Amino acid sequence: MGRRRQDESVNGKATAEAAEQVVTESRTDRLRIRAAWMYFVEQMTQNEIADVLGVGRVTIVRMLAEARARNEVKITIESELSEIVRLERALEKTFGLQQALVAPLTDPSADPIPAIAAKTGMFLSDAMKSGMQVGVGWGVTLFNSLPFISAKSLTDFKVISLLGGVGIARRVNPAEFAWRFAQIFQGDGYLMPTPAVVDSVETKIALVERCGLQEVFEMADALDAVLLSVGGIASATTFSRGGFLKEADREALLARGAVGDLLFHFYDRNGDLVDHPVNSHVMSVDVDRLRKAPIRILTSGGAEKTAALLGAMNLIAPTILITDEESARRMLAAHTA
C-alpha cells in the first residue's frame, strides 16, 4: 500500500509538472505569436514591441528568430511571394513567354528602375555562358543592372552592340554599356562606331558596306541571345538622351500611332514599325535579325512604358521578360481591356 501511494505521489507530481510545462509553453507560444504579429503585420519596431509585452528587446529578437524558424510567419511571407508568382505565370501565359521575372516594389509609386535592374543583373549572372554571342541594346535600366551582375570569366564570350552611339556623351551611351558588359565576363566587345541615326539611307548603306560595319551586322545573324530595353514615346527620355530627334519628330511619330522605340525602331501598339524616315535612317540591327536569336531578353518598366511594352510583345516576341509588379499589373489589365 505504501509503495502504491508513493507511486501515485510520483505520478501526480510528474503530471503536475507536465501540465505546468504545457501552460508555460502555451504562454510562450502566445507571446511569440503576438510579437511576430506586431512586427510583421503591424510593422512595429522591436523596441515598441518590447515595451508593449513587458520584456527586453533581446527577448523580442529571439522570439522573432524562433517564429521564423518554426515557419510561424510562413503565411505572411508566402502570400507576398505567391502574388509575384501569380503575376509571372499570368505574363507567361498571356504573352507566350518562356519565363517572366517580376521584381517586387516597396511602394506602388516607387521608381521601378532599381528593382528591375537588380532583378536583371541577378538573372544575367546565371544566364550568360561560355561560347555565347550576345547582342545588347542600351538604356538606364540596362546600365543600372551592371553592379548586380556577378563577374566571372567566360571563354569565347562575345558582346555585340546593336546600336550606334548617341551624340551626347553620357554613361548610358550604347557603346559604354556594351563595353562594360563584356568586361564583366572578360569577353570581347564589338561596337558600332557610328551615330545612332544618320541623314539618309544612302549614308547608312555606305557606312555598312564601306566602313567596316558589315562584320557587326553579320555577327548579328548568329546571336545566341539579345538583351534589350524599350523607350516610351510619351516622355521626353528618348528625345533628350541622344539629341537626334526633335519635338516635331515626336509629334509626327505619335500621329502615326507610335508608342515606343526599341533600338530607335519606332513601333505602334500592335508591334508594327510606323511609317517614318527615322526607321530607315537608324544605325541599328533590324528587328528581323533580333527575332532570330533563340534567347530574347526584354527588361523594362514604368507607367509611361505600358503601351511600349505591349507593342514589344509582338515586335520582338521576347522569350524572357523582366519587369516590376506594377508594370506587370498594368500590362495584364491593358491587354484584357
Side-chain angles (χ1 to χ4, degrees):
M1 182 67 114
R3 177 64 180 269
R4 190 164 154 195
R5 283 192 186 134
Q6 186 179 6
D7 290 342
E8 287 175 354
S9 176
V10 171
N11 290 338
K13 184 178 180 182
T15 302
E17 288 176 350
E20 183 178 354
Q21 184 178 359
V22 170
V23 171
T24 301
E25 288 180 352
S26 179
R27 288 173 181 166
T28 302
D29 290 343
R30 286 199 300 270
L31 196 65
R32 185 178 61 252
I33 296 302
R34 287 186 65 194
W37 178 271
M38 292 176 183
Y39 187 77
F40 290 104
V41 179
E42 297 183 15
Q43 309 258 311
M44 294 172 63
T45 67
Q46 294 172 354
N47 287 331
E48 290 171 340
I49 297 169
D51 291 339
V52 172
L53 299 183
V55 297
R57 181 179 175 277
V58 174
T59 302
I60 296 300
V61 173
R62 177 180 56 77
M63 286 194 294
L64 292 174
E66 188 175 357
R68 286 193 291 268
R70 287 169 173 254
N71 288 329
E72 289 169 341
V73 294
K74 186 176 179 181
I75 294 175
T76 300
I77 295 173
E78 280 191 341
S79 66
E80 294 174 358
L81 292 178
S82 65
E83 172 60 12
I84 295 297
V85 173
R86 185 194 70 79
L87 288 171
E88 290 174 342
R89 292 295 297 137
L91 288 171
E92 290 165 1
K93 292 178 180 179
T94 302
F95 299 109
L97 303 164
Q98 289 182 8
Q99 185 178 9
L101 298 169
V102 174
L105 296 177
T106 55
D107 187 286
S109 61
D111 179 5
I113 289 178
I116 300 171
K119 198 79 168 178
T120 302
M122 290 184 282
F123 171 79
L124 294 173
S125 299
D126 295 328
M128 298 297 100
K129 308 293 182 185
S130 293
M132 290 185 73
Q133 196 159 281
V134 184
V136 300
W138 76 310
V140 175
T141 302
L142 287 177
F143 191 87
N144 285 338
S145 73
L146 292 171
F148 297 97
I149 303 174
S150 299
K152 58 183 176 182
S153 179
L154 298 178
T155 59
D156 192 28
F157 185 78
K158 297 182 177 65
V159 177
I160 298 94
S161 179
L162 301 173
L163 176 70
V166 297
I168 302 173
R170 290 179 179 166
R171 62 177 189 152
V172 291
N173 194 296
E176 176 69 11
F177 173 75
W179 180 245
R180 291 188 58 177
F181 186 72
Q183 283 184 314
I184 288 175
F185 299 108
Q186 297 182 30
D188 297 322
Y190 296 82
L191 307 180
M192 198 178 293
T194 68
V197 179
V198 294
D199 61 348
S200 67
V201 175
E202 290 74 22
T203 300
K204 179 176 180 177
I205 293 173
L207 287 170
V208 172
E209 295 181 351
R210 303 173 194 170
C211 299
L213 296 182
Q214 190 64 41
E215 180 187 2
V216 175
F217 281 89
E218 288 176 354
M219 291 179 73
D221 281 324
L223 294 173
D224 297 296
V226 291
L227 174 59
L228 305 163
S229 189
V230 296
I233 198 169
S235 68
T237 305
T238 296
F239 300 87
S240 63
R241 62 187 176 180
F244 292 108
L245 302 173
K246 302 183 178 6
E247 178 60 23
D249 295 312
R250 189 181 80 90
E251 292 177 358
L253 286 163
L254 278 171
R256 290 167 171 78
V259 296
D261 83 283
L262 183 143
L263 301 178
F264 276 122
H265 297 294
F266 288 87
Y267 57 91
D268 61 22
R269 168 69 181 266
N270 296 322
D272 297 322
L273 296 179
V274 300
D275 182 17
H276 190 277
V278 68
N279 282 334
S280 57
H281 295 173
V282 62
M283 293 299 300
S284 66
V285 173
D286 59 82
V287 174
D288 288 340
R289 278 190 168 107
L290 300 177
R291 287 176 65 104
K292 292 179 183 178
I295 302 173
R296 299 179 297 281
I297 307 162
L298 180 63
T299 173
S300 197
E304 77 285 358
K305 293 185 179 180
T306 302
L309 282 167
L310 289 171
M313 294 300 101
N314 293 323
L315 176 72
I316 194 65
T319 58
I320 310 291
L321 173 66
I322 307 174
T323 191
D324 65 281
E325 60 178 308
E326 293 303 318
S327 295
R329 292 190 183 98
R330 283 190 293 265
M331 287 179 68
L332 292 168
H335 179 75
T336 58

